[in-house]
Each structure stands twice: as structure tokens, then as C-alpha cells.
């Protein structure tokens, strides 16, 4: 039985070193780097909070989060305060 993509990412994230984290981040656009930096200092945050903190448009934040998720650097869960919203956090 094969593992799902989410399980593959989780296994890879557990062994991610600081150098690997920086290498993955290096290949991303500046907006994704900024969103990652904001999440380093204050997380978990909703997409709206990330837009407010980074001064980026909502659409750009959404794109940055998708890129960060694609390389396994950010995870999400539903907010404990408002289950209609997701909050994002770094996974390294």
C-alpha cells in the first residue's frame, strides 16, 4: 500500500534540516519568502492576517501560501476561534 501525498510530505518535513529549509525557500518567489518570514515571527495566522502583516494583496498571499505548501514548508489547520477559517504555520 502506498502512502498519500500528505503522508509523504509529513515524512519529509520531519527530517527537514535548516539547510534544506533554506534551499527550498531560495527557489520561491519573493512573496512566498515574505509570507514565510511573517510566519516565522508570528503564527499561526489566517490568510487575512498574513495579508495585513505582510502588506501584500490577498491574491498574492494566496499564491505564496500555495507555493509554500507545494514545497512542504507550510501547513494549515482550522482556526480554534473560528472554524470557518484556516490558519497557516511553518512546518520545519
Amino acid at each position: 500500500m502506498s502512502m498519500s501525498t500528505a503522508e509523504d510530505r509529513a515524512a519529509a518535513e520531519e527530517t527537514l534540516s535548516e539547510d534544506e529549509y533554506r534551499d527550498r525557500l531560495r527557489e520561491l518567489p519573493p512573496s512566498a519568502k515574505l509570507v514565510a518570514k511573517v510566519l516565522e515571527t508570528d503564527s499561526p495566522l489566517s490568510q487575512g492576517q498574513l495579508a495585513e502583516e505582510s502588506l501584500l494583496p490577498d491574491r498574492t498571499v494566496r499564491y505564496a501560501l500555495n507555493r509554500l505548501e507545494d514545497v512542504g514548508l507550510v501547513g494549515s489547520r482550522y482556526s480554534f476561534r473560528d472554524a470557518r477559517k484556516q490558519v497557516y504555520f511553518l512546518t520545519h
Side-chain angles (χ1 to χ4, degrees):
M1 182 163 36
S2 65
M3 293 188 346
S4 72
T5 304
E7 290 172 349
D8 290 338
R9 265 193 229 144
E13 290 166 2
E14 290 175 14
T15 60
L16 196 63
S17 71
E18 188 66 27
D19 288 337
E20 290 171 320
Y21 168 75
R22 293 179 67 81
D23 286 342
R24 289 186 188 183
L25 197 57
R26 186 173 288 118
E27 302 302 318
L28 297 176
S31 60
K33 293 173 185 173
L34 177 58
V35 167
K37 193 63 166 172
V38 170
L39 287 173
E40 277 182 9
T41 60
D42 192 19
S43 81
L45 293 173
S46 69
Q47 182 179 325
Q49 291 170 317
L50 280 166
E52 188 176 307
E53 290 294 320
S54 66
L55 303 176
L56 293 171
D58 287 337
R59 184 175 178 181
T60 304
V61 170
R62 190 167 44 253
Y63 173 75
L65 287 169
N66 286 335
R67 294 296 307 269
L68 288 164
E69 283 179 328
D70 289 346
V71 296
L73 294 180
V74 73
S76 65
R77 64 169 171 77
Y78 288 103
S79 171
F80 295 133
R81 293 182 185 201
D82 186 351
R84 297 171 295 175
K85 294 182 180 182
Q86 285 198 327
V87 292
Y88 299 88
F89 53 90
L90 290 177
T91 57
H92 79 285

